[in-house]
Amino acid sequence: MSPIWVFGYGSLIWNPGFAYDDRVVGFVRDYRRVFYQGSTDHRGTPQFPGRTVTLEHQPGATCWGVAYRIKEEDEEIALEYLEVREKQYDEKVYLDLYTDSSPKVPAVENVMVYFATSNKKNNQNYLGPAPLEEMTRQIYLAQGPSGPNKEYVFKLEDALHKLGVVDQHVQELANALREYSDTELSK
């Protein structure tokens, strides 16, 4: 049986939370990272959901993150943990992971990716796109058991920078949050 690889493109980048025996920085093709998934269990509440990332299909796009190979003896525990942690993501897809040193041939094939679809019947927490100002306000104010939603954005920004990646959507939101913070504090 071949090992299970899990691709992290959000908080899994800086906080996988499970044992793994290999870690590869890379990207998946034809998807982009977007703050379209509502979080009512980690970075928000059912009354005031936060926003976390999911992937949106976009031909030609790339989404950088980290793939983790789960140790065979840890697979059951790791997968149980991920099913609870990622429970608001309604689909798992298997994508190929590419790296700088292997941009044309997958470095790892069939990496498992937790994915939040826009199907409101299966994913009641999908929020979808919104104007930057609206997303900024929601993220700035939202807080859940895992902490403030804005902390998630800043940790993601930092984790991506440590990988040498600038994600325009993440950067835009992080900058807007800093500006919103300054504006709100000066009132």
Side-chain angles (χ1 to χ4, degrees), residues 116-136:
T117 68
S118 60
N119 181 339
K120 290 295 263 178
K121 188 175 177 184
N122 296 333
N123 181 5
Q124 297 170 354
N125 291 309
Y126 182 79
L127 298 173
L132 180 63
E133 301 77 32
E134 185 181 315
M135 280 201 277
T136 301

Side-chain angles (χ1 to χ4, degrees), residues 31 38 43 52 66 75 97 108 125 153-154 156 158 180 184-185:
Y31 287 91
R43 296 296 180 161
T52 55
V66 177
E75 279 180 13
L97 181 84
V108 182
N125 291 309
V153 176
F154 295 137
L156 180 55
D158 183 56
Y180 187 86
E184 291 303 300
L185 292 173

Side-chain angles (χ1 to χ4, degrees), residues 32 34-36 51 56 118 126-131 134-135 169:
R32 70 183 192 120
V34 290
F35 279 84
Y36 292 178
R51 281 183 175 264
E56 179 180 66
S118 60
Y126 182 79
L127 298 173
E134 185 181 315
M135 280 201 277
H169 184 58

